[in-house]
Amino acid sequence: MSGGGGVGGLPRKEASVLKGHEGAVLAARFNADGNYCLSCGKDRTIRLWNPHRGILIKTYKAHGREVRDVHCTQFIYQKVLYCRDNSKLSSCGGDRQVFYWDVATGRVIRKFRGHDSEVNAVKFNEYASVVVSAGYDRSVRAWDCRSHSTEPIQIIDTFLDSVMSVSLTKSEIIAGSVDGTIRTFDIRIGREISDDLGQPVNCIALSNDGNCILASCLDSTLRLLDRSTGELLQEYKGHTCKSYKMDCLLTNNDACVTGGSEDGIIFFWDLVDASVVSSFRAHASVVTSVSYHPTDSCMISASVDGTIRVWKT
């Protein structure tokens, strides 16, 4: 099923399977250095793993409904807690709340309430001082992790439908919505730019050089946009994405686009010509999440089948 274009360098050999979740895994994310990963799912838990050794390190329980997304600061997990200020995670889900956790102790530091419906996505800013969430209530909210207030410091509610995905730069919040738009908010000058893709957007990801936005749309097409002009640069097809939220991203060298499919297959496309350079069956069911290692040729994927799989070359 694979083609040319440097496929040898793409991860498609199963290195380990991380089992423990009961029911669908909805997201899996490498931490900043790629030594650990976090996962979350229908079983209301968050789990911290060493994916390279296939070991479960810790399970976090506090959510009352399914956990849809999780994001961690640039922490280093230590048995000793000297890196306490550098080891937080945030999570969100069906209970309409954003949780802010201490990684080492597993304690919930704060619960941010304000979304009127399920929360789909969370991201820390660069300094881990603010967490931004996106929800079914058509809003994006920003929360101050350092303040004891549980009120949002910013609410963006210009969307016409559910907000599914959010990405952050130093000065911008970028969010993708089922209303077919990707909206970019410059928080320094209060300006909003909207790019209309004409199809429901269920995931967005920035290229590593920051110049492009990749969007997964519910017409089984990934679209690449120039971030400065909004121009559509390329479309990637072959997978099935019609009814599930599924991650998409660029490999760490920006050479390929990758994402899952509702039939359990993972695809890699050449960034420039959009040809499928590799595809393989990764899971028994929908691939909900993919996360690429920051420096190595390694990827993790998560699925409705309840497993997280680690892929290497």
Side-chain angles (χ1 to χ4, degrees), residues 124-262:
F124 280 110
N125 70 343
E126 182 181 24
Y127 308 108
S129 57
V130 172
V131 64
V132 176
S133 57
Y136 261 107
D137 61 4
R138 307 180 180 185
S139 78
V140 168
R141 291 166 193 252
W143 316 86
D144 186 348
C145 298
R146 295 168 302 189
S147 144
H148 287 289
S149 167
T150 55
E151 295 296 306
I153 51 174
Q154 188 163 16
I155 301 174
I156 300 164
D157 53 7
T158 49
F159 298 92
L160 304 177
D161 208 330
S162 177
V163 192
M164 300 302 292
S165 184
V166 65
S167 290
L168 306 179
T169 68
K170 279 185 168 65
S171 61
E172 293 158 319
I173 297 172
I174 306 161
S177 169
V178 176
D179 70 9
T181 66
I182 295 172
R183 296 173 196 246
T184 302
F185 307 90
D186 190 314
I187 40 198
R188 289 174 305 191
I189 58 175
R191 183 187 62 182
E192 175 185 329
I193 298 168
S194 180
D195 296 306
D196 193 348
L197 299 186
Q199 294 289 337
V201 177
N202 73 356
C203 179
I204 59 166
L206 291 174
S207 58
N208 297 284
D209 63 14
N211 295 331
C212 301
I213 303 173
L214 181 67
S216 168
C217 300
L218 287 175
D219 63 343
S220 301
T221 306
L222 301 180
R223 291 175 169 84
L224 189 71
L225 278 74
D226 183 294
R227 221 162 73 72
S228 56
T229 65
E231 178 193 355
L232 180 64
L233 300 174
Q234 192 53 277
E235 296 186 340
Y236 309 89
K237 301 184 181 197
H239 64 301
T240 304
C241 175
K242 292 178 177 167
S243 49
Y244 283 85
K245 180 180 180 189
M246 297 194 291
D247 290 341
C248 60
L249 47 84
L250 288 91
T251 54
N252 54 26
N253 59 2
D254 281 342
C256 291
V257 164
T258 183
S261 179
E262 290 180 11

Side-chain angles (χ1 to χ4, degrees), residues 21-310:
H21 278 288
E22 295 169 28
V25 184
L26 300 178
R29 313 264 178 252
F30 272 115
N31 76 323
D33 62 14
N35 290 334
Y36 299 95
C37 72
L38 285 157
S39 61
C40 61
K42 287 270 194 192
D43 62 3
R44 309 178 182 186
T45 69
I46 299 157
R47 291 165 195 256
L48 173 67
W49 311 81
N50 180 327
H52 310 290
R53 296 175 63 195
I55 296 168
L56 174 65
I57 297 168
K58 200 171 181 69
T59 302
Y60 303 84
K61 296 179 181 177
H63 277 279
R65 297 271 305 276
E66 83 280 359
V67 189
R68 297 192 177 184
D69 198 12
V70 61
H71 190 224
C72 60
T73 59
Q74 302 190 16
F75 73 81
I76 302 159
Y77 187 86
Q78 300 284 7
K79 289 284 186 275
V80 290
L81 307 182
Y82 68 79
C83 54
R84 184 174 299 155
D85 53 333
N86 202 20
S87 55
K88 306 293 186 285
L89 65 90
S90 64
S91 60
C92 66
D95 52 16
R96 306 182 178 190
Q97 301 176 78
V98 176
F99 284 44
Y100 177 53
W101 305 75
D102 183 276
V103 171
T105 63
R107 186 174 62 86
V108 177
I109 300 165
R110 205 159 299 127
K111 296 178 186 178
F112 297 114
R113 298 180 176 91
H115 279 286
D116 296 333
S117 193
E118 294 98 328
V119 189
N120 294 315
V122 283
K123 279 279 190 331
F124 280 110
N125 70 343
E126 182 181 24
Y127 308 108
S129 57
V130 172
V131 64
V132 176
S133 57
Y136 261 107
D137 61 4
R138 307 180 180 185
S139 78
V140 168
R141 291 166 193 252
W143 316 86
D144 186 348
C145 298
R146 295 168 302 189
S147 144
H148 287 289
S149 167
T150 55
E151 295 296 306
I153 51 174
Q154 188 163 16
I155 301 174
I156 300 164
D157 53 7
T158 49
F159 298 92
L160 304 177
D161 208 330
S162 177
V163 192
M164 300 302 292
S165 184
V166 65
S167 290
L168 306 179
T169 68
K170 279 185 168 65
S171 61
E172 293 158 319
I173 297 172
I174 306 161
S177 169
V178 176
D179 70 9
T181 66
I182 295 172
R183 296 173 196 246
T184 302
F185 307 90
D186 190 314
I187 40 198
R188 289 174 305 191
I189 58 175
R191 183 187 62 182
E192 175 185 329
I193 298 168
S194 180
D195 296 306
D196 193 348
L197 299 186
Q199 294 289 337
V201 177
N202 73 356
C203 179
I204 59 166
L206 291 174
S207 58
N208 297 284
D209 63 14
N211 295 331
C212 301
I213 303 173
L214 181 67
S216 168
C217 300
L218 287 175
D219 63 343
S220 301
T221 306
L222 301 180
R223 291 175 169 84
L224 189 71
L225 278 74
D226 183 294
R227 221 162 73 72
S228 56
T229 65
E231 178 193 355
L232 180 64
L233 300 174
Q234 192 53 277
E235 296 186 340
Y236 309 89
K237 301 184 181 197
H239 64 301
T240 304
C241 175
K242 292 178 177 167
S243 49
Y244 283 85
K245 180 180 180 189
M246 297 194 291
D247 290 341
C248 60
L249 47 84
L250 288 91
T251 54
N252 54 26
N253 59 2
D254 281 342
C256 291
V257 164
T258 183
S261 179
E262 290 180 11
D263 54 12
I265 293 172
I266 287 175
F267 284 79
F268 285 92
W269 294 268
D270 182 88
L271 178 77
V272 178
D273 71 13
S275 60
V276 175
V277 292
S278 179
S279 65
F280 59 94
R281 179 162 299 284
H283 290 276
S285 186
V286 179
V287 182
T288 50
S289 193
V290 288
S291 182
Y292 215 85
H293 193 282
T295 52
D296 299 346
S297 184
C298 172
M299 185 170 78
I300 52 175
S301 61
S303 171
V304 169
D305 70 12
T307 64
I308 300 138
R309 292 173 191 261
V310 184

